[in-house]
Amino acid sequence: MSKYTIEYFTTNNNLKTVRVNNFFLHSKYNPIQEAKRIVEKEFEPNFVNVVFGYGLGYIIDELKNNIRKNDNLIVIDPLFREFNDVVINNNGGFTLIEEVKSEIIEEVVAASLVNLSTKVNVICSPNYDNILKEEYLIVLESIKTVQRLHQVGENTTRQFSFDWQENYVHNLLHTYMNHSLKELKQHYDCPIVVISGGPSLKKQIVKLKRIKDKVITIASGSTINSLLQHGIDPDYVVSIDGGIANYNHFKGIDRIKSQLIFGFSSHYKIQENFPNAKYALLDVGDNDFQQYLRNKLSVEVPLIAGGASVANFAFTVACYMTSGPIAIIGQDLAYTDNKSHEDSNKHFVEVDESYREKRGMFEIKGYYNDKVLTDYAFLMMKRDFERLNKQIQHPAPIFNCTEGGAKIEGMDQLPLQEFCNRYIDMNNNFLVNILAEPQGFDKDKFINIMQDEIKIYNKLINEIEIGYAKLDRNKSDTVFEKSVLRELDKVDKLILKYRTKTAMNHIFDPITMDVLRNYKPDSNESNKEAYKRVYNQNKELYTRLLEAVNISKKYVLDMIENANKLM
């Protein structure tokens, strides 16, 4: 039996309206006129507009008259089938969500937001917030979560784009001189324990010492320091982060048995100074850069799915390296016992009220179905673990053996001791395979390749400067002259052509975000306003491209200088 009492009425102008549990979803007098007023007041162009409540479709029909071709419209309505027989697919001009679940809403909204945009506009249809109070709160919270996660992603991209570019360039040299992770693909069939530095790691240290020589161990980034302080040398350590803080975690570590697995974003000085074997990987989104390495350096580096944290990469690296069972430990993704990390970690912070407020912390479901304190940075990592665990088709079981922190939905939980009992043979020591050192690299060949790249940078700089000058010399303030358009088109094609033929990579990301996001056309703009908008868009594009290419060129010159110093 339905919990909704649904009554239909006919308005004075012969339109249909509906009342649910004594609340009208549309005007009793003129639903179309009401829809026009709501859309005029609440619709936001150039936003993802999310409507809570389809009703009989009056508001949606009016919105479809206002949205542009590339605008996204999402409708959420768990009552849809109560009074609509027709099944609507996503080709109807909007995306329909009938089940109010956070994961579904977040996935659809995030997919509609390009370039890490946070522009979401919520329109609540009349009385839906009264009929479906709890569902409406879930919708608002889900959208807020997507916006906060995108903001974290954007902040990271802006903060590290230059660092990442410098690291990508210098790590060309370190990759050319060392190993590729491809050499370790399914290299093992034994258990692997992936170790992160959350507060719960402390309870696992004694067990970890006991099983250290019976399994393969992989440490996530800065966790290396906690392990070394407890007398544990992991077999491998994964480094992804590109900031100076990550380099400082590795600085001075020389007496170590571990081997290094590094992403191209990893601070290049870590690879420069690490004493043992090193293996390169690429983020799964770096397809173009993978092709660049193949074409330029004849090097094959695998694409590894990761996420917001080095721990996400360490997890997928483990899946890549072994066909055996995997346990993750120390992966709290929460401030367990009001601590940020295991006590000996250099990042350790004791959480007080001001730190809690600064980080915008909130509670989520914990490992033991309790409530634990987390923030949006940890939440992003948690979501990435859940996504990766779904995507990876691993032949052996995967367990979260953290025994604390946040619950990773979809991942089986198991105490570490039980994992040891089931999968580890305590009578046999396991020897890590150490590959032969790579043959000495051809320094002259490498430097010649990089000097050819400098010629490309010089060509790009010259063309961008010509395009910039042409833009400034345009005489009209309403249209671009044909000669200017030809030059701008030439620059655009050149950038497209050479972007994948050089080591320029993430340095373009903030430029792309801003240039595509900040210059959307206004409705009813005049020719003069349209010209000014496109002029400013191109001016910002060329100014920032010129800076990006000059900086990339400097990084390549620095790297050539470093290569020349090698024996």
Side-chain angles (χ1 to χ4, degrees):
M1 183 176 177
S2 175
K3 61 180 179 178
Y4 304 107
T5 302
I6 300 171
E7 304 166 90
Y8 293 97
F9 299 88
T10 301
T11 67
N12 291 337
N13 55 349
N14 210 31
L15 295 171
K16 195 176 179 182
T17 189
V18 62
R19 185 166 67 183
V20 178
N21 293 357
N22 290 321
F23 290 102
F24 275 97
L25 303 187
H26 304 287
S27 168
K28 293 183 287 184
Y29 307 104
N30 194 331
I32 292 178
Q33 198 60 41
E34 177 194 50
K36 288 180 184 294
R37 285 197 303 271
I38 290 171
V39 170
E40 185 179 350
K41 181 182 176 183
E42 299 195 37
F43 171 69
E44 289 283 357
N46 302 320
F47 274 62
V48 172
N49 284 273
V50 178
V51 181
F52 184 60
Y54 182 86
L56 300 180
Y58 293 111
I59 293 172
I60 307 309
D61 288 343
E62 183 60 27
L63 278 168
K64 284 159 70 175
N65 293 331
N66 285 265
I67 61 174
R68 298 185 183 93
K69 183 180 178 182
N70 294 322
D71 287 340
N72 285 293
L73 177 60
I74 299 168
V75 179
I76 303 171
D77 192 349
L79 298 180
F80 182 82
R81 291 184 187 273
E82 295 285 345
F83 33 76
N84 289 282
D85 296 327
V86 180
V87 176
I88 294 179
N89 60 35
N90 293 347
N91 296 322
F94 62 91
T95 301
L96 176 66
I97 300 174
E98 296 184 61
E99 195 173 7
V100 178
K101 285 189 173 180
S102 296
E103 58 269 30
I104 296 172
I105 297 167
E106 289 170 24
E107 183 180 350
V108 173
V109 172
S112 300
L113 289 166
V114 296
N115 296 315
L116 293 175
S117 170
T118 58
K119 288 188 172 183
V120 183
N121 178 49
V122 180
I123 301 171
C124 183
S125 293
N127 286 319
Y128 264 81
D129 53 342
N130 290 315
I131 301 166
L132 299 162
K133 290 180 181 179
E134 290 183 12
E135 289 86 347
Y136 186 48
L137 290 175
I138 291 170
V139 169
L140 294 178
E141 192 58 40
S142 300
I143 290 169
K144 179 184 173 185
T145 297
V146 173
Q147 290 174 312
R148 293 294 296 270
L149 293 177
H150 274 217
Q151 193 61 60
V152 171
E154 178 175 343
N155 293 345
T156 303
T157 299
R158 291 192 186 283
Q159 182 181 354
F160 291 111
S161 65
F162 278 24
D163 289 341
W164 285 336
Q165 181 61 34
E166 184 173 21
N167 293 327
Y168 268 74
V169 168
H170 282 276
N171 283 327
L172 290 172
L173 177 60
H174 298 304
T175 300
Y176 197 69
M177 292 171 61
N178 292 286
H179 295 282
S180 165
L181 185 63
K182 186 181 179 183
E183 297 171 59
L184 294 179
K185 183 176 183 180
Q186 298 297 285
H187 196 69
Y188 301 103
D189 58 7
C190 62
I192 288 185
V193 177
V194 181
I195 311 161
S196 294
S200 297
L201 177 61
K202 189 172 184 177
K203 70 175 76 171
Q204 312 288 21
I205 290 295
V206 173
K207 291 189 190 79
L208 199 53
K209 283 184 176 180
R210 205 164 63 244
I211 65 170
K212 164 68 188 71
D213 296 326
K214 319 296 180 182
V215 295
I216 295 291
T217 49
I218 299 177
S220 305
S222 63
T223 309
I224 185 67
N225 285 292
S226 295
L227 297 176
L228 291 176
Q229 285 197 40
H230 289 289
I232 299 170
D233 272 50
D235 299 310
Y236 298 94
V237 56
V238 178
S239 173
I240 297 294
D241 299 334
I244 192 68
N246 190 38
Y247 168 60
N248 289 334
H249 282 298
F250 286 84
K251 196 174 180 180
I253 295 178
D254 48 11
R255 295 182 180 179
I256 186 173
K257 297 175 183 175
S258 310
Q259 300 178 63
L260 179 68
I261 297 169
F262 69 95
F264 267 74
S265 56
S266 171
H267 198 292
Y268 68 95
K269 287 190 176 179
I270 297 171
Q271 287 69 255
E272 202 169 272
N273 297 305
F274 198 85
N276 304 324
K278 298 175 271 285
Y279 303 84
L281 65 82
L282 281 170
D283 185 282
V284 75
D286 281 330
N287 305 69
D288 289 341
F289 201 77
Q290 184 190 50
Q291 190 63 40
Y292 164 83
L293 291 173
R294 199 178 284 144
N295 293 340
K296 281 275 181 130
L297 302 178
S298 300
V299 171
E300 191 66 43
V301 179
L303 300 173
I304 300 296
S309 164
V310 62
N312 298 132
F313 282 92
F315 169 60
T316 47
V317 162
C319 296
Y320 184 84
M321 286 171 55
T322 188
S323 57
I326 293 168
I328 64 172
I329 63 172
Q331 195 56 71
D332 288 65
L333 303 165
Y335 295 88
T336 307
D337 299 327
N338 287 321
K339 296 177 180 180
S340 64
H341 294 79
E342 189 272 333
D343 295 13
S344 62
N345 192 293
K346 289 183 181 180
H347 279 316
F348 175 83
V349 173
E350 188 86 45
V351 175
D352 57 18
E353 195 55 43
S354 65
Y355 188 75
R356 179 174 178 162
E357 196 172 303
K358 178 184 174 185
R359 298 287 299 185
M361 295 183 195
F362 50 92
E363 290 185 332
I364 58 172
K365 186 193 290 187
Y367 188 92
Y368 296 108
N369 292 320
D370 51 348
K371 293 289 185 183
V372 293
L373 201 60
T374 192
D375 61 22
Y376 281 100
F378 277 146
L379 181 62
M380 185 180 281
M381 299 171 199
K382 172 177 134 62
R383 295 284 169 81
D384 284 333
F385 271 113
E386 289 163 354
R387 170 181 56 82
L388 293 167
N389 189 50
K390 274 185 186 177
Q391 289 175 352
I392 294 170
Q393 302 297 314
H394 193 65
I398 295 171
F399 298 101
N400 180 4
C401 301
T402 298
E403 299 180 64
K407 188 166 196 168
I408 301 175
E409 301 291 346
M411 188 176 287
D412 291 335
Q413 296 180 178
L414 193 71
L416 182 59
Q417 184 60 56
E418 182 61 29
F419 181 85
C420 297
N421 294 343
R422 289 190 198 178
Y423 300 109
I424 296 175
D425 183 352
M426 296 301 292
N427 295 317
N428 288 325
N429 281 359
F430 189 86
L431 294 176
V432 177
N433 294 338
I434 298 177
L435 302 183
E437 283 297 311
Q439 296 297 313
F441 79 111
D442 188 333
K443 182 171 80 172
D444 291 338
K445 180 182 177 182
F446 179 80
I447 289 172
N448 285 337
I449 292 169
M450 291 299 107
Q451 285 173 337
D452 285 341
E453 184 147 319
I454 293 295
K455 294 174 185 175
I456 295 175
Y457 289 130
N458 289 336
K459 185 171 184 177
L460 284 170
I461 290 165
N462 182 59
E463 289 297 335
I464 293 169
E465 287 176 342
I466 291 171
Y468 193 95
K470 281 272 190 185
L471 192 66
D472 265 353
R473 287 200 295 269
N474 193 70
K475 293 173 184 175
S476 171
D477 64 355
T478 57
V479 294
F480 291 99
E481 297 162 18
K482 287 184 179 179
S483 62
V484 174
L485 290 174
R486 279 197 300 270
E487 189 58 43
L488 301 186
D489 188 51
K490 183 180 177 183
V491 174
D492 290 346
K493 286 177 179 175
L494 208 64
I495 293 291
L496 273 176
K497 179 181 177 182
Y498 286 119
R499 179 171 178 172
T500 57
K501 294 184 179 180
T502 66
M504 285 187 292
N505 201 28
H506 293 289
I507 198 166
F508 285 138
D509 290 343
I511 303 174
T512 302
M513 277 194 301
D514 291 339
V515 170
L516 293 181
R517 190 196 291 176
N518 298 338
Y519 294 93
K520 300 284 187 182
D522 291 328
S523 56
N524 303 317
E525 67 180 1
S526 65
N527 289 340
K528 194 169 185 176
E529 289 168 336
Y531 171 84
K532 187 176 181 182
R533 174 177 55 80
V534 177
Y535 173 87
N536 289 335
Q537 183 181 35
N538 278 283
K539 194 158 188 177
E540 179 177 356
L541 174 64
Y542 290 154
T543 301
R544 293 177 67 180
L545 278 177
L546 199 58
E547 179 190 26
V549 177
N550 273 305
I551 287 171
S552 299
K553 176 184 170 182
K554 177 188 177 300
Y555 293 155
V556 175
L557 288 170
D558 291 344
M559 186 259 295
I560 290 172
E561 185 179 340
N562 287 348
N564 269 315
K565 291 176 184 176
L566 297 171
M567 295 293 292

